[in-house]
Amino acid sequence: MSKAATKPQGASRKSASWTQDPEGVRRSILEAARLEFVENGLSGARVDEIAARTATSKRMIYYYFGDKEGLYRAVLEEMYERIRSFERGLDLASLEPEEAIALLTGFTFDYHAENPDFVRMVMIENIHHGRHLATSDRISTLNLSVIDMIREAYERGISAGIFRAGIEPIDIHLTISALAFYNVSNRASIRQVFGHDMGAPEALARRRAAAIDTVLRMMRR
């Protein structure tokens, strides 16, 4: 019997995936890694488990990403790129200043509510004091886009006499993010302490409206 005939079918599938669709394999690894990191954190995640979820091998994961921390950093980069890409698609520059800020705030609130894994990964990275974000040139560059978008809408609002001067765009961003983030990050503890389900549809709608109102009141003259 030839060596080819005795080769495990799983290995053949992995080899075919690698040669026929290398970018698809990379995406598959990142998706499996996201699930593993969200569930177990960086310290508890196992590359063997990530490989088992994909059509590739542990060796191939290391080929793509170097090591487990490199893979974790790549997952963070993909998650930040996704939210920033959606933000850029909002085309805030075509809207009136208040409408632009309201749209961005509502979008941010909805995105966090619909993507709790993003919130979880940011929480995990904060446990590690942001050291992986600090070593990613990609993240530091792409995250500037949201600040530029806020600055543009804010300055137009000042010129129109709608917004008061003296607020830093980063503070507007932090307020928007805090209102969106907390509603997901503290959902379990709020349910236990107050018996209140922050994820219930009526609660989400109420908090979303309150978030938009809070940000606009912060900025108006």
Side-chain angles (χ1 to χ4, degrees):
M1 184 179 292
S2 68
K3 291 183 179 180
T6 60
K7 189 175 183 180
Q9 290 184 357
S12 297
R13 286 195 298 270
K14 290 181 179 182
S15 176
S17 297
W18 155 244
T19 56
Q20 295 172 10
D21 186 14
E23 183 55 32
V25 171
R26 184 179 185 277
R27 289 195 303 270
S28 176
I29 293 171
L30 287 172
E31 174 62 15
R34 178 184 64 80
L35 297 172
E36 179 71 10
F37 289 130
V38 166
E39 182 176 348
N40 298 303
L42 173 58
S43 301
R46 298 181 59 227
V47 176
D48 286 331
E49 291 296 323
I50 296 169
R53 294 176 187 254
T54 67
T56 187
S57 65
K58 186 175 179 179
R59 180 182 62 81
M60 190 58 67
I61 291 174
Y62 288 140
Y63 171 81
Y64 272 107
F65 301 103
D67 54 21
K68 185 170 78 168
E69 292 206 357
L71 177 56
Y72 169 80
R73 184 182 303 108
V75 171
L76 278 174
E77 289 174 344
E78 289 296 313
M79 296 183 92
Y80 273 103
E81 172 60 40
R82 187 170 186 269
I83 186 172
R84 299 288 94 96
S85 176
F86 279 122
E87 286 168 348
R88 291 191 293 271
L90 296 176
D91 192 21
L92 299 187
S94 68
L95 303 176
E96 293 298 317
E98 276 200 346
E99 186 181 0
I101 296 299
L103 178 63
L104 178 62
T105 304
F107 162 79
T108 305
F109 188 92
D110 292 341
Y111 188 91
H112 284 69
E114 295 165 6
N115 295 273
D117 284 1
F118 174 68
V119 175
R120 176 70 173 167
M121 283 293 289
V122 173
M123 293 170 68
I124 291 169
E125 179 60 5
N126 274 281
I127 290 173
H128 294 280
H129 307 289
R131 74 169 187 264
H132 304 92
L133 293 177
T135 59
S136 172
D137 293 335
R138 181 181 173 193
I139 288 178
S140 62
T141 301
L142 68 88
N143 279 332
L144 294 177
S145 63
V146 67
I147 304 302
D148 291 338
M149 291 165 59
I150 290 172
R151 178 180 292 107
E152 192 275 338
Y154 175 54
E155 290 179 349
R156 285 194 291 117
I158 293 174
S159 298
I162 300 169
F163 295 149
R164 62 186 179 89
I167 307 174
E168 291 295 328
I170 185 64
D171 289 324
I172 300 170
H173 171 64
L174 293 178
T175 300
I176 294 171
S177 294
L179 291 167
F181 195 94
Y182 184 91
N183 205 68
V184 180
S185 66
N186 286 51
R187 190 169 292 175
S189 59
I190 293 298
R191 183 184 297 112
Q192 295 303 318
V193 173
F194 297 107
H196 174 65
D197 183 5
M198 299 170 77
E202 64 275 12
L204 281 172
R206 188 169 62 249
R207 289 297 301 168
R208 185 184 193 276
I212 294 171
D213 184 60
T214 297
V215 174
L216 290 178
R217 285 176 182 270
M218 168 189 174
M219 299 175 66
R220 286 182 183 132
R221 289 176 60 102

